[in-house]
Amino acid sequence: MASENPFRSILKALEKPDGGEFGNYYSLPALNDPRIDKLPYSIRILLESAIRNCDEFQVKSKDVEKILDWENTSPKQVEIPFKPARVLLQDFTGVPAVVDLACMRDAMNNLGGDSNKINPLVPVDLVIDHSVQVDVARSENAVQANMELEFQRNKERFAFLKWGSNAFDNMLVVPPGSGIVHQVNLEYLARVVFNRNGLLYPDSVVGTDSHTTMIDGLGVAGWGVGGIEAEATMLGQPMSMVLPGVVGFKLTGKLRDGMTATDLVLTVTQMLRKHGVVGKFVEFHGEGMRELSLADRATIANMSPEYGATMGFFPVDHVTLQYLKLTGRSDETVAMIEAYLRANKMFVDYNEPASKTVYSSKLELNLEDVEPCVSGPKRPHDRVPLKEMKADWYSCLDSRVGFKGFAVPKEAQSKAVEFNFNGTPAKLRHGDVVIAAITSCTNTSNPSVMLGAALVAKKACELGLEVKPWIKTSLAPGSGVVTKYLAKSGLQKYLNQLGFSIVGYGCTTCIGNSGDIHEAVASAIVDNDLVASAVLSGNRNFEGRVHPLTRANYLASPPLVVAYALAGTVDIDFETEPIGTGKDGKKIFFRDIWPSNKEVAEVVQASVLPDMFKATYEAITKGNSMWNELSVASGTLYEWDPKSTYIHEPPYFKGMTMSPPGPHGVKDAFCLLNFGDSITTDHISPAGSIHKDSPAAKYLMERGVDRRDFNSYGSRRGNDEIMARGTFANIRIVNKHLKGEVGPKTVHIPSGEKLSVFDAAMKYRNEGRDTIILAGAEYGSGSSRDWAAKGPMLLGVKAVISKSFERIHRSNLVGMGIIPLCFKTGEDAETLGLTGEELYTIELPNNVSEIKPGQDVTVVTNNGKSFTCTLRFDTEVELAYFNHGGILQYVIRNLIKQ
């Protein structure tokens, strides 16, 4: 069990320049280890965390040594524990996390413990930002109208989160309408360096959204994880991770006039995708960093998921400190941050000799080589230089259907479709823009591109250009600060004039919250099979994501979004073809409306002020009228409503006692599902719309919910009854029990009935039978999703036997009490002659002390077959979870003992 930290001897006091102390800190220089100077800055953060949290149980001295020896250990794929400083949640992922905390309090109370001990042990920041649907656009009242609609749809979910914000300590809930989680994190929530009870340490964060990486631009190590990992971190448990390789990305030179951060990030994304950075850290360095604003860094860090890295990290330097002051952090706080990071070899000073940092591999980019570009039409890393856009568009029309193709016959490429728009004759062609959105955390936190877009709008309006009325234009800032500096600059009126009115503060078009396009436009597209376009300042443009009717979706800087909205089509060469005709009949070109870097810099300097950040975030803590009027119970135990179809008490702790249940084997279990390779969390976890013939739909209809009010699985993640029914409900899933048929069904082996997976699982449960899953390689790959482990547990699955597991999904199964087993190398269900119709017995010792991580286990079937598997409990901590029946039960019992 845990013992005293063996590194207490390097705990030092950090003195203030004028006397006194900032606090104590674990000093890396005090280790007197020359290897530290060679470590990438991102790895130094992992090292400090391991030293500070070392208890020889969850984190061991040998883990510290692995990190210190990173240059030699990282190529070997060694695993280390990491304890992030805080957790960042959004509303969709935050609801099940708060449900679990509420359930844990009930369980604690039932066991006679102090239920108020159930609180996050690290700070939790929960931002409600997925709730802006662009129902109302092109209206100066759009913000209020859209907000009212969202409160109607999500009132129950919002009320539950508001209860959580009052009931739990260490949890801050940022109300809906405040901004996009990642921009709020950057401008307000990030600490950079924590000072908790006099102990100083670097800020680090895991969040339940992949673009948590945006915070890496501020020198805070952060990335996206699944819900179970986030909950475990909240409750003080370490997350297991492979010690990553680090790609050193050197920046030199300076961006040329007219280039934007978006042009840069699309270039970087393409380079890193080509290099291959999956599972790695990317660390930016070099003289070019001097010229790169914090907002530009955040734009690059934000798109880490698109280039495949765990994070794109920018160590703290003078630019970071300037941004912290701009965004309202106090002088004393900034002084403490600088002093700590300098003392602990985590600060980059360009006036000092270059560091001896070693990287796993290297890349270099001269910023002067960056040119204007967009990405698309279907993937964020398919960069297209602006000068090649027209040619690339026709290449896409010509090419067979794929990431860069639509297979439109030559004779049909120039057709013009006539339609009637509100009584006015209109035409649509292939490539015409029907959605133009300034949106997304990637760009809306960057004043230079936001004010650049406003300057484009100003020049266009003064020249008499207009946006066609059927193009759905919108502006969704990432925080209220953007509104303030647009107003201060006097430029918002020009954006409004072109239809880019503010529709709300949160995730919109980039995640598919585009709302409907005009019915006449939709009919023209569908009836004539047109390849319509969307242009957005987002980070993802996969087909079907932005809008079902926009098959071509291009990522572009906010100024380019305005330019394409004015042009009305992506079928244009901005160098040679006019965007439109001005009020005096003169042809207007792209160069006539594009601002210089000097123009943009002057407006940014005059308009973006520290007081704006202070005022915006002081207001956030006060909430808004609709949020403040939500009535919620005041108790610390949640009053579950049995009639609710959104929030339901899950049965995780039913019958729980103070005594751990101990290890459990599996006896005569049936195989619920028999899979091949590459079953992803998308196959397992409930996602998307609720099909009318599904078990979840039946459950809702039995409770009087009309089909039009089903909503999505995502919106109902707080109801385990619905999520269990949606587990393995993917229509593309391939289950060998079905003999070639594809779909969300299985065979109940004893009766031979073909049933939905949920119904078969319940039939086995009612018969008192355990179940297992057989699978091939890479089981659980894809996005990390908590319900991909919670769902199978609720279905009664006791073990999964596969060729291999995706790392995080395996740990999630352990956290929910499911046994992960791997076939021996060269073996699988097929080579062993398993049909999946056998009964399976897995015997484990009754005493957890007799089980070792990674030991061999024998599996026996009722027809005489026997084979050996590797037990994939990989650490002693995971065995402790299993002994208690799961991670949440482990935490409850330990808290009661304290």
Side-chain angles (χ1 to χ4, degrees), residues 644-718:
S644 172
T645 57
Y646 279 95
I647 308 295
H648 184 265
E649 182 179 12
Y652 305 145
F653 311 111
K654 193 174 181 180
M656 181 179 171
T657 65
M658 270 304 294
S659 299
H664 66 80
V666 177
K667 175 118 177 115
D668 291 337
F670 281 101
C671 176
L672 178 64
L673 295 151
N674 187 0
F675 293 132
D677 295 342
S678 300
I679 292 296
T680 71
T681 51
D682 283 341
H683 292 117
I684 306 168
S685 184
S689 58
I690 297 173
H691 193 273
K692 62 182 177 64
D693 298 321
S694 66
K698 181 182 177 184
Y699 174 88
L700 288 168
M701 288 188 287
E702 285 173 350
R703 282 150 185 79
V705 179
D706 193 87
R707 183 178 166 187
R708 69 173 180 271
D709 296 322
F710 280 0
N711 218 326
S712 64
Y713 281 113
S715 69
R716 295 185 181 274
R717 290 180 70 163

Side-chain angles (χ1 to χ4, degrees), residues 138-156:
R138 287 201 172 208
S139 163
E140 293 189 27
N141 298 319
V143 174
Q144 183 68 17
N146 288 321
M147 180 70 79
E148 288 173 359
L149 286 167
E150 287 310 315
F151 265 81
Q152 289 172 23
R153 293 184 183 120
N154 298 291
K155 185 176 180 180
E156 189 176 347

Side-chain angles (χ1 to χ4, degrees), residues 127-129 131-132 143-144 146-148 150-152 158 162 173-179 504-505 616-631:
V127 181
I128 304 175
D129 78 336
S131 304
V132 180
V143 174
Q144 183 68 17
N146 288 321
M147 180 70 79
E148 288 173 359
E150 287 310 315
F151 265 81
Q152 289 172 23
F158 290 170
K162 185 176 180 181
V173 174
V174 178
S178 302
Y505 303 92
T616 298
Y617 290 108
E618 283 172 2
I620 272 184
T621 57
K622 297 174 184 174
N624 57 59
S625 59
M626 283 179 277
W627 174 261
N628 293 337
E629 288 167 9
L630 274 179
S631 176

Side-chain angles (χ1 to χ4, degrees), residues 89-92 127-135 146 150 153-154 175-184 208-212 214 302 437-442 444 474-479 503-515 536-540 545-546:
L89 302 175
Q90 290 172 290
D91 43 335
F92 274 10
V127 181
I128 304 175
D129 78 336
H130 262 156
S131 304
V132 180
Q133 186 85 12
V134 188
D135 294 291
N146 288 321
E150 287 310 315
R153 293 184 183 120
N154 298 291
S178 302
I180 300 174
V181 58
H182 308 305
Q183 186 164 343
V184 175
T208 50
D209 182 86
S210 57
H211 293 104
T212 300
M214 187 172 188
N302 177 280
I438 299 175
T439 178
S440 167
C441 50
T442 305
T444 62
S474 62
L475 168 57
S479 82
V503 296
Y505 303 92
C507 293
T508 55
T509 307
C510 194
I511 60 161
N513 284 356
S514 309
L536 64 152
S537 62
N539 46 48
R540 290 186 179 166
R545 180 183 177 96
V546 172

Side-chain angles (χ1 to χ4, degrees), residues 146-440:
N146 288 321
M147 180 70 79
E148 288 173 359
L149 286 167
E150 287 310 315
F151 265 81
Q152 289 172 23
R153 293 184 183 120
N154 298 291
K155 185 176 180 180
E156 189 176 347
R157 195 158 52 91
F158 290 170
F160 176 68
L161 291 175
K162 185 176 180 181
W163 169 82
S165 70
N166 297 328
F168 295 104
D169 298 334
N170 233 5
M171 180 183 287
L172 170 69
V173 174
V174 178
S178 302
I180 300 174
V181 58
H182 308 305
Q183 186 164 343
V184 175
N185 191 22
L186 189 74
E187 296 174 350
Y188 176 61
L189 299 172
R191 282 71 157 180
V192 185
V193 172
F194 267 93
N195 186 347
R196 293 193 80 194
N197 303 318
L199 182 63
L200 308 176
Y201 54 93
D203 188 4
S204 58
V205 62
V206 289
T208 50
D209 182 86
S210 57
H211 293 104
T212 300
T213 54
M214 187 172 188
I215 204 61
D216 301 333
L218 195 67
V220 174
W223 58 86
V225 296
I228 291 175
E229 301 99 290
E231 288 183 36
T233 301
M234 284 163 51
L235 297 167
Q237 303 306 301
M239 55 182 288
S240 179
M241 63 181 287
V242 173
L243 186 60
V246 181
V247 178
F249 199 122
K250 186 176 182 179
L251 298 173
T252 61
K254 183 178 180 180
L255 289 172
R256 291 180 290 123
D257 196 44
M259 301 305 109
T260 68
T262 317
D263 299 324
L264 171 58
V265 73
L266 296 179
T267 303
V268 168
T269 297
Q270 186 182 47
M271 289 177 67
L272 287 169
R273 288 288 294 202
K274 185 178 180 181
H275 186 76
V277 293
V278 172
K280 298 176 183 176
F281 289 175
V282 176
E283 187 164 297
F284 294 88
H285 65 103
E287 283 296 310
M289 293 276 282
R290 289 176 180 264
E291 303 294 337
L292 208 59
S293 73
L294 196 292
D296 290 357
R297 297 175 184 194
T299 300
I300 295 170
N302 177 280
M303 284 192 74
S304 293
E306 283 66 45
Y307 45 80
T310 301
M311 65 174 180
F313 187 73
F314 291 80
V316 175
D317 60 12
H318 71 284
V319 175
T320 320
L321 301 180
Q322 289 167 3
Y323 180 82
L324 291 172
K325 290 179 179 178
L326 170 67
T327 49
R329 274 78 164 194
S330 70
D331 289 344
E332 184 176 354
T333 296
V334 175
M336 179 268 291
I337 289 169
E338 181 177 6
Y340 169 82
L341 295 174
R342 283 186 181 275
N344 232 6
K345 296 189 175 183
M346 295 180 180
F347 187 86
V348 176
D349 189 331
Y350 301 105
N351 295 318
E352 294 178 355
S355 68
K356 306 170 186 174
T357 309
V358 173
Y359 295 109
S360 308
S361 61
K362 297 178 181 179
L363 281 174
E364 185 169 338
L365 173 66
N366 187 334
L367 297 175
E368 292 175 8
D369 294 338
V370 173
E371 57 184 339
C373 57
V374 296
S375 277
K378 302 181 185 182
R379 296 190 300 186
H381 55 280
D382 289 333
R383 188 179 70 92
V384 185
L386 209 58
K387 63 188 179 186
E388 299 172 15
M389 182 60 181
K390 189 177 181 77
D392 191 81
W393 172 248
Y394 279 96
S395 173
C396 289
L397 291 182
D398 289 336
S399 299
R400 62 187 179 86
V401 174
F403 292 125
K404 293 288 287 186
F406 298 106
V408 177
K410 287 275 189 190
E411 63 274 13
Q413 290 180 8
S414 59
K415 74 175 177 182
V417 174
E418 296 184 352
F419 69 102
N420 187 290
F421 182 80
N422 292 340
T424 303
K427 290 182 181 179
L428 272 184
R429 296 177 173 83
H430 290 296
D432 278 6
V433 175
V434 296
I435 291 176
I438 299 175
T439 178
S440 167

